[in-house]
């Protein structure tokens, strides 16, 4: 049955993408988007600020600096995002980072307990000369040549740490695996599912008869000589309306927008406001669901309003949906909504009154692996007090280098963003990020990790963002659980409820927009 009344729960990027594409797919259906906050966009937050700086002649000038309170870049493979950029007329606002730039080529690690940064090699020469070689090279050789490490069964799952530890060794898994997980999920790699979070890794291992390295090399050969088989599932997807954006992505590492990814939110809200059959309700949360006699549903909100729905879309965090369903006894229950945890982080924007070269090397930024004693010493013996990285810094983005084109008149300022928390907050002695009281300790930590020869300058501006449960941790067995959830939705809810978002199919901006794009294709 074609939908007549669609209610979308949640006004983050996933819910907005759903509303946009459903309005195009079902122009005669009434669409209502319900968001509990007074502002749309979830954790996507962009802000432009003006700071006073010194100009080339030694006088005063004003720099315009863009701050991101959440995600800041998107990879060019995120075709659903590029489609939105095209359809919302945002192509002139694209900010592109070429693969040839220092921001794309240079990424660093800070190893807890050491001074300064180590560049992660991006070539064979770099692999042989990097200070990280004593961990990286043995791990690569172990994976490439070790026998008896064949591919796991297709339906098997394990943590990222377990997967990398078996193939590359425990030191490699802790150093590189945990750091990468910190950068993407702000989570513990010993908990995160490798098949849900990084499906390419087990696929490469399968292709390489148990070796990720051999699988990657073989994939490269297939690509160069055109030997690979086409992915029929990908070929079945509807074509994206990319306009000029596809040509602009040649040789691109990542992209953003002139005024940040928040431009997507603003443009979507504006566009949806122009569509007569779409209504956006802000500052009002769904509190109750009930069935209607015709097989549809009613949604009651905190304000007492009632919305009729022939079809529902939930872009809510899964635990929030669980609370709503549990409090509505007339609707079928849903499994696994509370199976996964989520990471809480503090994200801190700094603007310093100096050129970037004064603070950090050219590059995208650095990540900090899990300390050898665990988070705040959690894995150390009881009589040990070793606490490396006690403030819980996961990584730092060198924004002035990574996205310099977003700022104007900013040659003499440095913009960086520090990300803290995640698994450190579940440790026995978690750090505190109350208000801005931790900022002085954070500045000392940055000074030490960057191994600066002189004290870090007093910042011109500090902006702290507290994000509670912002990134779902897709635990081991997640894909199986989501298949079971999908079966219940089809059988018990007659396919009239679609559950999507970061807690289901991926946490990146691209994955969230894609899930919204695919809603309703079977209605």
């Amino acid at each position: 049955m074609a939908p007549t009344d669609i209610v979308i729960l949640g006004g983050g990027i996933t819910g907005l993408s759903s509303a946009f594409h459903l309005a195009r797919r079902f122009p005669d259906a009434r669409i209502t988007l319900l968001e509990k906050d007074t502002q749309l966009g979830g954790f996507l937050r962009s802000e432009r600020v003006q700071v006073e700086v010194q100009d080339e002649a030694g006088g005063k000038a004003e720099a315009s600096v863009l701050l991101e309170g959440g995600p800041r870049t998107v990879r060019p493979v995120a075709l659903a995002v590029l489609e939105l950029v095209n359809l919302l007329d945002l192509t002139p606002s694209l900010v592109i980072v070429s693969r040839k730039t220092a921001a794309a080529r240079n990424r660093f690690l800070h190893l807890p307990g050491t001074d300064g940064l180590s560049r992660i090699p991006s070539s064979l020469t770099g692999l042989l000369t990097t200070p990280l070689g004593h961990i990286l090279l043995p791990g690569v050789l172990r994976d490439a040549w070790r026998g008896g490490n064949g591919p796991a069964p297709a339906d098997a799952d394990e943590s990222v740490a377990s997967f990398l530890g078996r193939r590359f060794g425990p030191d490699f898994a802790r150093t590189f695996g945990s750091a990468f997980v910190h950068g993407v999920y702000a989570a513990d790699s010993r908990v995160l599912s490798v098949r849900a979070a990084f499906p390419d890794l087990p696929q490469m291992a399968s292709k390489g008869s148990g070796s990720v390295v051999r699988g990657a090399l073989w994939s490269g050969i297939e690509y160069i000589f055109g030997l690979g088989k086409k992915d029929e599932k990908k070929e079945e997807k509807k074509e994206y309306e990319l306009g000029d954006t596809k040509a602009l992505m040649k040789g691109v590492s990542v992209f953003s927008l002139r005024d940040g990814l928040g431009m997507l939110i603003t443009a979507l809200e504006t566009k949806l406001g122009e569509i007569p059959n779409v209504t956006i309700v802000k500052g009002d949360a769904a509190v109750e669901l009930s069935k209607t006699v015709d097989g549809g549903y009613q949604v009651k909100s905190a304000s007492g309003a009632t919305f009729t729905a022939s079809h529902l879309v939930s872009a809510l965090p899964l635990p929030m949906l669980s609370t709503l369903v549990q409090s509505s006894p007339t609707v079928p229950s849903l499994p696994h909504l509370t199976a996964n945890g989520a990471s809480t982080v503090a994200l801190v924007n700094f603007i310093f009154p100096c050129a970037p070269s004064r603070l950090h090397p050219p590059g995208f930024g650095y990540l900090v692996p899990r300390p050898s004693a665990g988070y705040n010493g959690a894995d150390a013996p009881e009589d040990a007090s070793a606490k490396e990285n006690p403030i819980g810094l996961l990584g730092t983005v060198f924004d002035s280098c990574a996205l310099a084109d977003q700022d104007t008149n900013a040659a003499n300022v440095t913009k960086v963003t520090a990300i803290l928390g995640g698994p450190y907050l579940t440790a026995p002695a978690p750090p505190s990020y109350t208000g801005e009281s931790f900022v002085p300790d954070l500045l000392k930590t940055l000074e030490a990790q960057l191994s600066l020869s002189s004290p870090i300058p007093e910042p011109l501006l500090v902006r702290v963002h507290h994000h509670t449960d912002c990134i779902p941790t897709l635990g081991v067995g997640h894909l199986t659980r989501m298949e079971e959830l999908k079966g219940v939705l089809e059988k018990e809810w007659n396919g009239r409820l679609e559950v999507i978002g970061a807690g289901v199919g991926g946490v990146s901006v691209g994955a969230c927009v894609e899930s919204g794009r695919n809603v309703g294709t079977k209605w």
Side-chain angles (χ1 to χ4, degrees), residues 6 8 27-28 157 209 245:
I6 303 170
I8 301 168
D28 296 326
D157 196 8
S209 299
T245 63

Side-chain angles (χ1 to χ4, degrees), residues 262-399:
M263 289 186 74
L264 284 174
I265 305 303
T266 302
L268 280 167
E269 184 174 6
T270 300
K271 177 63 73 173
L272 291 170
E274 298 170 353
I275 303 175
N277 59 312
V278 176
T279 301
I280 296 177
V281 179
K282 295 187 286 187
D284 201 6
V287 295
E288 184 181 328
L289 287 174
S290 60
K291 283 186 175 181
T292 58
V293 293
D294 61 353
Y297 298 90
Q298 276 191 344
V299 179
K300 287 188 177 180
S301 70
S303 69
T306 300
F307 306 93
T308 301
S310 64
H311 294 71
L312 292 168
V313 176
S314 174
L316 298 172
L318 297 189
M320 193 177 295
L321 176 61
S322 174
T323 301
L324 177 61
V325 171
Q326 288 176 357
S327 63
S328 304
T330 65
V331 299
S333 62
L334 292 172
H336 307 309
L337 297 183
T338 59
N340 294 327
S343 292
T344 293
V345 302
L347 187 148
V348 187
N349 305 126
F350 288 107
I351 301 177
F352 294 101
C354 61
S357 58
R358 159 72 173 80
L359 290 185
H360 61 73
F364 191 85
Y366 71 92
L367 295 170
V368 185
R370 182 178 74 249
S372 56
Y375 299 106
N376 287 342
D379 299 337
E382 289 186 8
D383 58 347
S385 59
K387 285 190 177 181
E388 302 167 316
N389 192 19
I391 200 168
L393 183 60
L394 301 173
T396 301
V397 182
F398 303 154
D399 292 303

Side-chain angles (χ1 to χ4, degrees), residues 467-490:
H467 295 320
T468 302
D469 295 336
C470 61
I471 309 176
T473 301
L474 312 181
V476 175
H478 175 75
L479 296 182
T480 299
R481 291 192 292 271
M482 291 302 98
E483 282 300 313
E484 292 175 359
L485 173 61
K486 181 180 177 181
V488 172
L489 290 170
E490 292 177 352

Side-chain angles (χ1 to χ4, degrees), residues 73 95-108 119-120 122 252-255 360-366 396-405:
T73 58
V95 174
I96 291 170
V97 179
S98 167
R99 294 195 191 109
K100 297 179 180 179
T101 63
R105 291 184 289 105
N106 298 336
R107 296 168 188 255
F108 302 89
R119 182 174 177 267
I120 301 173
S122 56
V252 169
S253 172
V254 294
F255 69 89
H360 61 73
F364 191 85
Y366 71 92
T396 301
V397 182
F398 303 154
D399 292 303
S400 291
C401 183
L403 292 165
D405 290 344

Side-chain angles (χ1 to χ4, degrees), residues 106-243:
N106 298 336
R107 296 168 188 255
F108 302 89
L109 291 184
H110 168 76
L111 302 182
T114 68
D115 294 327
L117 306 180
S118 298
R119 182 174 177 267
I120 301 173
S122 56
S123 65
L124 180 59
T125 303
L127 179 63
L128 298 174
T129 59
T130 176
L132 300 170
H134 68 288
I135 301 173
L136 191 54
L137 192 56
V140 170
L141 294 175
R142 169 181 168 139
D143 173 78
W145 302 111
R146 183 184 177 209
N149 196 22
D155 59 348
D157 196 8
E158 59 186 319
S159 72
V160 174
S162 172
F163 178 91
L164 294 178
R166 286 196 298 108
R167 287 166 169 77
F168 297 91
D171 287 344
F172 181 103
R174 181 180 63 81
T175 304
F176 296 98
S178 70
F180 190 60
V181 167
H182 287 169
V184 180
Y185 285 87
D188 188 341
S189 62
R190 298 169 295 184
V191 176
L192 194 67
S193 160
V194 69
R195 291 192 179 275
F198 305 111
D200 287 349
L201 288 175
Q203 290 170 10
M204 288 292 182
S206 179
K207 180 173 285 190
S209 299
S211 166
V212 177
V213 173
R214 292 198 302 266
L217 289 173
W218 181 242
S219 293
I221 292 171
E222 288 180 336
Y223 177 79
I224 292 171
F225 295 100
L227 302 175
K229 295 180 180 179
K230 290 185 177 181
D231 188 332
E232 293 182 359
K233 290 185 178 180
K234 289 184 179 180
E235 292 296 318
E236 289 174 359
K237 286 187 177 179
K238 295 190 294 293
E239 292 186 3
Y240 296 86
E241 298 177 50
L242 300 178

